Structure formats: structure tokens, C-alpha cells
């Protein structure tokens, strides 16, 4: 900057006092993951874990069952799915299947519910669209953003 000022006699564009163009923006906090129970244990549930999974899938337009959290996925496939969902810029929910305190038994329950053997799993409008491989394939074909946008646009 000093060299620029010495050569031109002016402050470089965007560096003048009061310049608003280069202001830092506050980073929005990530939404928390869905917790299916208050964390007291599976014995305190008044319904089955499968019923809780069904309710989450049906009550949310887009929901991803992943290993880890939005901000800290714990496997590469979950990271891949979150990256694609974030890229689409639609609202979505996340359930951490590894959280045995708040989501006891969800990892197996969601596999039984969907009849799909792997995690992550992405549901749109109450239906499984697939895991990381299928979501990636849909993105490559340009289909993912259309499916997600159509689902979130419905009231």
C-alpha cells in the first residue's frame, strides 16, 4: 500500500476511510441439528425410534441423516452431501445418526425405514432420494438443485 501511495499520491481504491465496499460481514450461525429426544435415554420414549424418523422425514421438506453435524461431518460421504446441499442454497435439516444421547438408535432405524443400507441418506418431500453417490450424480446432471428448489418452494 505504501508503494502505491508513493507512486500515485492516493490511497488505493477500497482502502479510504469510511469505505463500505470491503466491510467484513458477520458469519451466520449454522442451524442446529434435529435432536429426536431430550437426551434422557431410549427408555423414556413414548413411541418407537422408527416413528420419530418417520415424523422427521414427513415434517421436513429436505432432511439429511448424516454422520456428524452440519459444521463437523464425521465422514467424507456426509461432508460431500452437506457440500452439495449448501451449494444448492436451500433450507434443509440435519440429523446426526452418531448422537446416541439425543438420537439413540437412529442410525439403524433410518436404514430400516428407508431400506437403504448406508448413511448419509437424503429425503425430499418425504421420500428417499439417495445417499452420497446418487446425490452427487443428480448434482452432476443438474437435477439436484431443481428437485430441492421445487420441494422447498411448496407451502
Amino acid at each position: 500500500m505504501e508503494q502505491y501511495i508513493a507512486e500515485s499520491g492516493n490511497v488505493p481504491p477500497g482502502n479510504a476511510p469510511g469505505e463500505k465496499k470491503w466491510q467484513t460481514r458477520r458469519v451466520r450461525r449454522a442451524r442446529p441439528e434435529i435432536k429426536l429426544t431430550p437426551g434422557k435415554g431410549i427408555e423414556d420414549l413414548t413411541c418407537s425410534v422408527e416413528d420419530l424418523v418417520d415424523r422427521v422425514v414427513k415434517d421436513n421438506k429436505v432432511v439429511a441423516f448424516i454422520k456428524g453435524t452440519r459444521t463437523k461431518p464425521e465422514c467424507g460421504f456426509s461432508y460431500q452431501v452437506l457440500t452439495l446441499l449448501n451449494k444448492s442454497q436451500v433450507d434443509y435439516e440435519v440429523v446426526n445418526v452418531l448422537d446416541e444421547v439425543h438420537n439413540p438408535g437412529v442410525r439403524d432405524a433410518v436404514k430400516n425405514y428407508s431400506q437403504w443400507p448406508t448413511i448419509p441418506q437424503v429425503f425430499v418431500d418425504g421420500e428417499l432420494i439417495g445417499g452420497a453417490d446418487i446425490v452427487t450424480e443428480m448434482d452432476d446432471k443438474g437435477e439436484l438443485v431443481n428437485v430441492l428448489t421445487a420441494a422447498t418452494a411448496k407451502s
Side-chain angles (χ1 to χ4, degrees):
M1 182 155 51
E2 290 174 359
Q3 182 181 356
Y4 184 90
I5 293 171
E7 291 174 3
S8 69
N10 296 319
V11 175
N15 291 295
E19 177 64 54
K20 304 250 188 260
K21 186 175 184 178
W22 303 106
Q23 285 183 336
T24 57
R25 297 181 189 172
R26 289 187 182 189
V27 176
R28 211 170 54 161
R29 292 184 85 178
R31 287 180 22 196
E33 289 69 41
I34 292 177
K35 295 179 179 177
L36 300 178
T37 72
K40 295 179 181 178
I42 201 162
E43 309 81 38
D44 291 337
L45 292 180
T46 57
C47 65
S48 70
V49 177
E50 288 79 9
D51 289 342
L52 292 174
V53 168
D54 182 56
R55 183 159 200 156
V56 168
V57 167
K58 290 180 179 173
D59 287 352
N60 295 283
K61 296 289 185 182
V62 180
V63 63
F65 289 83
I66 66 166
K67 294 178 183 175
T69 65
R70 258 180 224 274
T71 56
K72 192 174 180 186
E74 295 188 30
C75 86
F77 296 115
S78 293
Y79 174 81
Q80 183 177 358
V81 164
L82 290 174
T83 299
L84 295 173
L85 291 174
N86 289 333
K87 180 177 126 181
S88 73
Q89 297 183 343
V90 298
D91 286 335
Y92 65 93
E93 298 298 333
V94 169
V95 177
N96 179 0
V97 300
L98 300 179
D99 181 354
E100 285 297 321
V101 173
H102 294 99
N103 301 329
V106 169
R107 185 176 186 173
D108 290 329
V110 74
K111 289 178 184 180
N112 290 334
Y113 178 83
S114 65
Q115 297 298 300
W116 191 262
T118 60
I119 302 290
Q121 294 185 17
V122 178
F123 291 83
V124 176
D125 275 340
E127 294 191 27
L128 176 71
I129 63 167
D133 53 346
I134 293 174
V135 170
T136 300
E137 184 179 314
M138 289 176 73
D139 183 63
D140 290 344
K141 292 179 179 178
E143 299 169 353
L144 181 63
V145 73
N146 295 335
V147 168
L148 296 174
T149 306
T152 56
K154 296 176 189 174
S155 297

